Amino acid sequence: MLTSQQLSDVLRANGYKVTPQRLAVYEALAATKSHPNAEMLFSTLQPKYPSMSFATVYKTVEILDKINVIKILNTGEDSMRYDADTSIHHHIQCAVCGCVEDLMNVDSSGLVKEAEKLSGYDIKGHQFYFFGVCPHCREARQN
Amino acid sequence: MLTSQQLSDVLRANGYKVTPQRLAVYEALAATKSHPNAEMLFSTLQPKYPSMSFATVYKTVEILDKINVIKILNTGEDSMRYDADTSIHHHIQCAVCGCVEDLMNVDSSGLVKEAEKLSGYDIKGHQFYFFGVCPHCREARQN
DNA sequence: CTCTCTGCAAAATTTTTGCACTGCT
DNA sequence: AGCAGTGCAAAAATTTTGCAGAGAG
Protein backbone atom coordinates (compact mmCIF):
# COMPACT_ATOMS: atom_id res chain seq x y z
CA MET A 1 0.00 0.00 0.00
CA LEU A 2 1.46 3.32 -1.05
CA THR A 3 0.70 6.88 -0.07
CA SER A 4 -0.35 9.26 -2.82
CA GLN A 5 3.11 10.75 -2.63
CA GLN A 6 4.81 7.38 -3.08
CA LEU A 7 2.53 6.42 -5.94
CA SER A 8 3.19 9.77 -7.60
CA ASP A 9 6.91 9.14 -7.36
CA VAL A 10 6.63 5.66 -8.84
CA LEU A 11 4.46 6.93 -11.68
CA ARG A 12 6.92 9.71 -12.51
CA ALA A 13 9.90 7.38 -12.15
CA ASN A 14 8.37 5.22 -14.86
CA GLY A 15 7.62 8.10 -17.18
CA TYR A 16 3.90 8.28 -16.43
CA LYS A 17 2.13 11.47 -15.49
CA VAL A 18 0.41 11.88 -12.17
CA THR A 19 -3.30 12.55 -12.63
CA PRO A 20 -6.21 12.73 -10.23
CA GLN A 21 -7.78 9.72 -11.94
CA ARG A 22 -4.72 7.54 -11.42
CA LEU A 23 -4.47 8.46 -7.79
CA ALA A 24 -8.20 7.90 -7.36
CA VAL A 25 -8.18 4.45 -8.94
CA TYR A 26 -5.30 3.40 -6.73
CA GLU A 27 -6.89 4.84 -3.61
CA ALA A 28 -10.17 3.09 -4.33
CA LEU A 29 -8.31 -0.19 -4.73
CA ALA A 30 -6.18 0.33 -1.64
CA ALA A 31 -9.26 1.14 0.41
CA THR A 32 -10.96 -2.20 -0.08
CA LYS A 33 -10.25 -5.85 0.52
CA SER A 34 -12.93 -6.99 -1.90
CA HIS A 35 -10.68 -7.29 -4.97
CA PRO A 36 -13.06 -5.36 -7.19
CA ASN A 37 -13.31 -5.69 -10.95
CA ALA A 38 -13.48 -2.79 -13.39
CA GLU A 39 -17.19 -2.29 -12.94
CA MET A 40 -17.02 -2.21 -9.14
CA LEU A 41 -14.11 0.23 -9.34
CA PHE A 42 -15.99 2.41 -11.79
CA SER A 43 -19.11 2.46 -9.60
CA THR A 44 -17.05 3.36 -6.55
CA LEU A 45 -15.30 6.20 -8.33
CA GLN A 46 -18.29 7.54 -10.23
CA PRO A 47 -19.79 9.60 -7.35
CA LYS A 48 -16.52 11.41 -6.65
CA TYR A 49 -15.36 11.60 -10.27
CA PRO A 50 -18.47 11.91 -12.43
CA SER A 51 -16.40 12.17 -15.58
CA MET A 52 -14.53 8.91 -14.90
CA SER A 53 -14.85 6.49 -17.78
CA PHE A 54 -14.30 2.75 -18.18
CA ALA A 55 -11.54 3.47 -20.66
CA THR A 56 -9.66 5.35 -17.96
CA VAL A 57 -10.21 2.61 -15.40
CA TYR A 58 -8.85 -0.02 -17.78
CA LYS A 59 -5.94 2.10 -18.99
CA THR A 60 -5.07 2.99 -15.41
CA VAL A 61 -5.07 -0.51 -13.97
CA GLU A 62 -2.91 -1.62 -16.88
CA ILE A 63 -0.34 1.02 -15.98
CA LEU A 64 -0.56 0.31 -12.26
CA ASP A 65 0.06 -3.36 -13.01
CA LYS A 66 3.00 -2.53 -15.27
CA ILE A 67 4.71 -0.47 -12.58
CA ASN A 68 3.98 -3.23 -10.08
CA VAL A 69 1.84 -1.35 -7.63
CA ILE A 70 -1.20 -3.58 -8.14
CA LYS A 71 -1.83 -7.20 -9.10
CA ILE A 72 -4.37 -8.52 -11.57
CA LEU A 73 -6.43 -11.49 -10.36
CA ASN A 74 -8.26 -14.02 -12.42
CA THR A 75 -10.56 -16.25 -10.48
CA GLY A 76 -12.31 -17.67 -13.51
CA GLU A 77 -15.11 -15.16 -13.61
CA ASP A 78 -15.84 -13.23 -16.78
CA SER A 79 -13.95 -10.15 -15.61
CA MET A 80 -10.58 -9.44 -14.03
CA ARG A 81 -10.21 -8.36 -10.44
CA TYR A 82 -7.59 -6.04 -9.06
CA ASP A 83 -5.60 -6.05 -5.83
CA ALA A 84 -3.58 -3.16 -4.41
CA ASP A 85 -1.62 -5.54 -2.20
CA THR A 86 1.40 -6.68 -4.20
CA SER A 87 3.00 -8.71 -1.43
CA ILE A 88 3.09 -12.44 -2.07
CA HIS A 89 -0.19 -13.85 -0.88
CA HIS A 90 -2.96 -15.98 -2.30
CA HIS A 91 -6.70 -15.93 -2.76
CA ILE A 92 -9.70 -17.98 -1.92
CA GLN A 93 -13.12 -17.59 -3.45
CA CYS A 94 -16.45 -18.72 -2.09
CA ALA A 95 -18.44 -20.69 -4.64
CA VAL A 96 -21.68 -19.52 -3.03
CA CYS A 97 -21.33 -15.77 -2.49
CA GLY A 98 -18.47 -15.23 -4.91
CA CYS A 99 -16.38 -13.18 -2.51
CA VAL A 100 -12.60 -13.29 -2.87
CA GLU A 101 -10.53 -13.17 0.29
CA ASP A 102 -6.82 -12.85 0.92
CA LEU A 103 -4.88 -15.79 2.21
CA MET A 104 -1.85 -14.41 3.96
CA ASN A 105 0.78 -16.52 5.65
CA VAL A 106 0.59 -19.46 3.30
CA ASP A 107 4.20 -20.01 2.38
CA SER A 108 4.50 -20.86 -1.29
CA SER A 109 8.25 -20.40 -1.66
CA GLY A 110 8.94 -24.14 -1.40
CA LEU A 111 6.51 -24.92 -4.18
CA VAL A 112 7.93 -22.19 -6.38
CA LYS A 113 11.42 -23.64 -6.04
CA GLU A 114 10.10 -27.12 -6.73
CA ALA A 115 8.19 -25.86 -9.76
CA GLU A 116 11.27 -24.07 -11.05
CA LYS A 117 13.37 -27.21 -10.77
CA LEU A 118 10.75 -29.45 -12.38
CA SER A 119 9.87 -27.11 -15.24
CA GLY A 120 13.20 -25.54 -16.05
CA TYR A 121 11.45 -22.16 -16.21
CA ASP A 122 12.73 -18.95 -14.68
CA ILE A 123 9.69 -18.32 -12.52
CA LYS A 124 8.82 -14.64 -12.25
CA GLY A 125 5.49 -14.86 -10.50
CA HIS A 126 2.72 -17.13 -9.38
CA GLN A 127 -0.92 -16.98 -8.39
CA PHE A 128 -2.67 -19.60 -6.31
CA TYR A 129 -6.45 -19.76 -6.18
CA PHE A 130 -8.46 -21.84 -3.75
CA PHE A 131 -12.19 -22.43 -4.15
CA GLY A 132 -14.67 -23.54 -1.55
CA VAL A 133 -17.44 -22.41 0.72
CA CYS A 134 -16.79 -19.61 3.19
CA PRO A 135 -17.75 -20.01 6.87
CA HIS A 136 -20.55 -17.49 6.49
CA CYS A 137 -22.20 -19.28 3.57
CA ARG A 138 -21.73 -22.67 5.22
CA GLU A 139 -23.68 -21.51 8.26
CA ALA A 140 -26.37 -19.88 6.19
CA ARG A 141 -26.76 -23.08 4.25
CA GLN A 142 -27.31 -25.23 7.33
CA ASN A 143 -30.43 -23.29 8.29
CA MET B 1 -8.34 -39.44 -19.78
CA LEU B 2 -11.41 -41.45 -20.67
CA THR B 3 -12.25 -43.71 -23.57
CA SER B 4 -15.26 -42.79 -25.70
CA GLN B 5 -17.11 -45.58 -23.98
CA GLN B 6 -16.30 -44.26 -20.51
CA LEU B 7 -17.21 -40.71 -21.46
CA SER B 8 -20.49 -41.94 -22.94
CA ASP B 9 -21.28 -43.69 -19.69
CA VAL B 10 -20.52 -40.61 -17.61
CA LEU B 11 -22.61 -38.41 -19.90
CA ARG B 12 -25.58 -40.77 -19.70
CA ALA B 13 -25.15 -41.23 -15.95
CA ASN B 14 -25.58 -37.49 -15.59
CA GLY B 15 -28.61 -37.30 -17.83
CA TYR B 16 -26.82 -35.92 -20.89
CA LYS B 17 -27.11 -37.41 -24.33
CA VAL B 18 -24.11 -38.80 -26.13
CA THR B 19 -23.50 -36.93 -29.38
CA PRO B 20 -20.68 -37.04 -31.90
CA GLN B 21 -19.88 -33.41 -31.09
CA ARG B 22 -19.44 -34.11 -27.40
CA LEU B 23 -17.20 -37.06 -28.03
CA ALA B 24 -15.23 -35.04 -30.58
CA VAL B 25 -14.67 -32.08 -28.26
CA TYR B 26 -13.45 -34.36 -25.53
CA GLU B 27 -11.21 -36.33 -27.89
CA ALA B 28 -9.68 -33.16 -29.27
CA LEU B 29 -8.94 -32.00 -25.73
CA ALA B 30 -7.58 -35.36 -24.63
CA ALA B 31 -5.31 -35.51 -27.67
CA THR B 32 -3.33 -32.38 -26.83
CA LYS B 33 -1.21 -31.05 -24.03
CA SER B 34 -1.54 -27.47 -25.21
CA HIS B 35 -4.55 -26.55 -23.06
CA PRO B 36 -6.43 -24.99 -25.96
CA ASN B 37 -9.08 -22.30 -25.70
CA ALA B 38 -12.43 -22.33 -27.48
CA GLU B 39 -11.01 -20.97 -30.69
CA MET B 40 -8.17 -23.50 -30.87
CA LEU B 41 -10.63 -26.29 -30.16
CA PHE B 42 -12.98 -25.01 -32.82
CA SER B 43 -10.19 -24.80 -35.41
CA THR B 44 -9.06 -28.30 -34.59
CA LEU B 45 -12.55 -29.71 -34.92
CA GLN B 46 -13.63 -27.70 -37.95
CA PRO B 47 -11.94 -29.93 -40.59
CA LYS B 48 -13.53 -33.13 -39.27
CA TYR B 49 -16.84 -31.56 -38.24
CA PRO B 50 -17.52 -28.73 -40.71
CA SER B 51 -20.83 -27.96 -39.08
CA MET B 52 -19.30 -27.55 -35.61
CA SER B 53 -20.15 -24.16 -34.10
CA PHE B 54 -18.72 -22.07 -31.29
CA ALA B 55 -22.00 -22.39 -29.45
CA THR B 56 -21.58 -26.14 -29.38
CA VAL B 57 -17.97 -25.89 -28.24
CA TYR B 58 -18.93 -23.61 -25.36
CA LYS B 59 -22.02 -25.60 -24.38
CA THR B 60 -20.03 -28.81 -24.51
CA VAL B 61 -17.08 -27.71 -22.38
CA GLU B 62 -19.54 -26.38 -19.83
CA ILE B 63 -21.14 -29.81 -19.58
CA LEU B 64 -17.80 -31.63 -19.55
CA ASP B 65 -16.69 -29.38 -16.70
CA LYS B 66 -19.94 -29.99 -14.80
CA ILE B 67 -19.54 -33.74 -14.97
CA ASN B 68 -15.91 -33.37 -13.96
CA VAL B 69 -14.21 -34.86 -16.97
CA ILE B 70 -12.34 -31.66 -17.87
CA LYS B 71 -10.97 -28.66 -15.99
CA ILE B 72 -11.27 -25.00 -16.95
CA LEU B 73 -8.03 -23.01 -16.74
CA ASN B 74 -7.60 -19.32 -16.28
CA THR B 75 -4.14 -18.05 -16.94
CA GLY B 76 -5.17 -14.41 -17.11
CA GLU B 77 -5.57 -14.29 -20.86
CA ASP B 78 -8.77 -13.01 -22.39
CA SER B 79 -10.13 -16.50 -23.01
CA MET B 80 -10.48 -19.68 -20.98
CA ARG B 81 -8.38 -22.74 -21.64
CA TYR B 82 -9.49 -26.32 -21.18
CA ASP B 83 -7.70 -29.39 -19.87
CA ALA B 84 -8.82 -33.00 -20.22
CA ASP B 85 -6.56 -34.05 -17.36
CA THR B 86 -8.59 -33.72 -14.19
CA SER B 87 -5.96 -35.12 -11.85
CA ILE B 88 -4.54 -32.62 -9.39
CA HIS B 89 -1.70 -30.85 -11.11
CA HIS B 90 -0.69 -27.28 -11.81
CA HIS B 91 0.26 -25.05 -14.70
CA ILE B 92 3.06 -22.83 -15.79
CA GLN B 93 2.87 -20.30 -18.58
CA CYS B 94 5.71 -18.75 -20.53
CA ALA B 95 5.50 -14.98 -20.65
CA VAL B 96 7.26 -14.97 -24.01
CA CYS B 97 5.60 -17.65 -26.14
CA GLY B 98 2.41 -17.93 -24.10
CA CYS B 99 2.48 -21.72 -23.93
CA VAL B 100 0.90 -23.40 -20.91
CA GLU B 101 2.56 -26.55 -19.61
CA ASP B 102 1.54 -29.07 -17.00
CA LEU B 103 3.37 -29.23 -13.73
CA MET B 104 2.93 -32.68 -12.37
CA ASN B 105 4.40 -33.92 -9.12
CA VAL B 106 4.19 -30.65 -7.23
CA ASP B 107 2.47 -31.65 -4.04
CA SER B 108 -0.03 -29.00 -3.01
CA SER B 109 -1.90 -30.98 -0.37
CA GLY B 110 0.02 -29.38 2.49
CA LEU B 111 -0.86 -25.91 1.28
CA VAL B 112 -4.49 -26.82 0.83
CA LYS B 113 -4.71 -28.02 4.42
CA GLU B 114 -2.95 -24.90 5.62
CA ALA B 115 -5.28 -22.71 3.57
CA GLU B 116 -8.31 -24.54 4.93
CA LYS B 117 -7.20 -24.01 8.49
CA LEU B 118 -6.34 -20.34 7.98
CA SER B 119 -9.46 -19.41 6.04
CA GLY B 120 -12.11 -21.54 7.70
CA TYR B 121 -13.37 -22.46 4.20
CA ASP B 122 -14.32 -25.94 3.07
CA ILE B 123 -11.91 -26.09 0.17
CA LYS B 124 -13.31 -27.93 -2.83
CA GLY B 125 -10.66 -27.13 -5.39
CA HIS B 126 -7.60 -25.12 -6.19
CA GLN B 127 -5.62 -23.94 -9.19
CA PHE B 128 -2.00 -22.84 -9.04
CA TYR B 129 -0.46 -20.84 -11.86
CA PHE B 130 3.22 -20.12 -12.28
CA PHE B 131 4.54 -17.57 -14.75
CA GLY B 132 8.02 -17.24 -16.17
CA VAL B 133 10.17 -17.88 -19.18
CA CYS B 134 10.40 -21.37 -20.61
CA PRO B 135 13.79 -22.96 -21.35
CA HIS B 136 13.18 -22.70 -25.09
CA CYS B 137 12.44 -18.97 -25.03
CA ARG B 138 15.30 -18.31 -22.63
CA GLU B 139 17.77 -19.85 -25.08
CA ALA B 140 16.26 -18.07 -28.05
CA ARG B 141 16.57 -14.81 -26.20
CA GLN B 142 20.26 -15.23 -25.47
CA ASN B 143 21.12 -15.30 -29.18
C1' DC C 1 -41.91 -40.23 -30.97
C1' DT C 2 -40.27 -37.13 -27.63
C1' DC C 3 -37.27 -34.09 -25.94
C1' DT C 4 -32.54 -32.78 -25.83
C1' DC C 5 -28.93 -31.05 -28.83
C1' DT C 6 -26.99 -28.53 -32.68
C1' DG C 7 -25.98 -24.60 -35.32
C1' DC C 8 -26.91 -20.21 -36.92
C1' DA C 9 -27.35 -15.49 -35.97
C1' DA C 10 -28.09 -12.05 -32.80
C1' DA C 11 -27.21 -10.38 -28.13
C1' DA C 12 -24.64 -9.57 -24.02
C1' DT C 13 -20.26 -8.61 -21.66
C1' DT C 14 -15.87 -7.24 -21.03
C1' DT C 15 -12.06 -4.86 -22.79
C1' DT C 16 -9.67 -2.08 -26.43
C1' DT C 17 -9.11 1.61 -29.64
C1' DG C 18 -9.45 6.22 -32.26
C1' DC C 19 -9.73 10.79 -31.73
C1' DA C 20 -10.69 15.52 -30.13
C1' DC C 21 -10.12 17.97 -25.87
C1' DT C 22 -8.01 18.57 -21.30
C1' DG C 23 -4.44 19.25 -18.20
C1' DC C 24 0.17 17.71 -16.13
C1' DT C 25 4.96 19.16 -16.04
C1' DA D 1 3.75 24.97 -24.82
C1' DG D 2 4.16 20.28 -25.73
C1' DC D 3 2.66 15.91 -25.27
C1' DA D 4 0.64 12.40 -22.44
C1' DG D 5 -3.95 11.48 -20.50
C1' DT D 6 -9.01 11.59 -20.39
C1' DG D 7 -13.49 10.52 -21.98
C1' DC D 8 -16.69 9.51 -25.31
C1' DA D 9 -18.37 6.41 -28.61
C1' DA D 10 -17.48 2.88 -31.60
C1' DA D 11 -15.04 -1.51 -32.31
C1' DA D 12 -13.21 -5.88 -31.04
C1' DA D 13 -13.24 -10.21 -28.73
C1' DT D 14 -15.22 -13.75 -26.06
C1' DT D 15 -19.10 -15.99 -24.42
C1' DT D 16 -24.24 -16.58 -24.05
C1' DT D 17 -28.86 -16.98 -25.74
C1' DG D 18 -33.15 -17.83 -28.74
C1' DC D 19 -35.00 -20.59 -31.81
C1' DA D 20 -35.89 -23.77 -35.76
C1' DG D 21 -34.54 -28.01 -37.37
C1' DA D 22 -31.78 -32.48 -36.50
C1' DG D 23 -30.98 -36.61 -34.07
C1' DA D 24 -30.31 -39.57 -29.73
C1' DG D 25 -32.80 -42.68 -26.73
Side-chain angles (χ1 to χ4, degrees), chain B residues 102-135:
Chain B
D102 287 311
L103 216 45
M104 316 307 278
N105 307 314
V106 171
D107 180 21
S108 52
S109 59
L111 251 69
V112 172
K113 263 183 213 155
E114 210 182 323
E116 203 151 42
K117 196 183 292 180
L118 282 165
S119 66
Y121 278 52
D122 282 333
I123 294 182
K124 300 282 173 56
H126 62 290
Q127 291 285 334
F128 293 180
Y129 298 100
F130 298 87
F131 303 95
V133 180
C134 72

Side-chain angles (χ1 to χ4, degrees), chain A residues 2-101:
Chain A
L2 306 177
T3 62
S4 293
Q5 188 53 59
Q6 291 173 316
L7 175 58
S8 301
D9 291 343
V10 178
L11 279 167
R12 270 190 282 262
N14 285 274
Y16 294 107
K17 295 200 171 170
V18 177
T19 67
Q21 289 90 336
R22 288 176 181 171
L23 299 179
V25 168
Y26 181 81
E27 265 173 48
L29 254 189
T32 179
K33 281 186 176 300
S34 70
H35 311 89
N37 59 24
E39 186 172 25
M40 300 172 195
L41 269 179
F42 177 77
S43 304
T44 305
L45 293 163
Q46 183 73 352
K48 261 194 181 171
Y49 300 81
S51 73
M52 175 72 61
S53 71
F54 269 100
T56 299
V57 172
Y58 281 113
K59 286 168 185 167
T60 301
V61 291
E62 190 182 349
I63 289 172
L64 296 180
D65 177 58
K66 244 185 223 154
I67 64 178
N68 282 312
V69 302
I70 70 169
K71 285 278 182 199
I72 298 180
L73 306 185
N74 212 298
T75 59
E77 298 163 299
D78 16 76
S79 56
M80 304 281 183
R81 287 171 175 262
Y82 307 97
D83 189 346
D85 185 348
T86 56
S87 69
I88 294 179
H89 67 281
H90 303 290
H91 297 92
I92 186 162
Q93 181 170 40
C94 176
V96 178
C97 67
C99 70
V100 175
E101 293 184 49

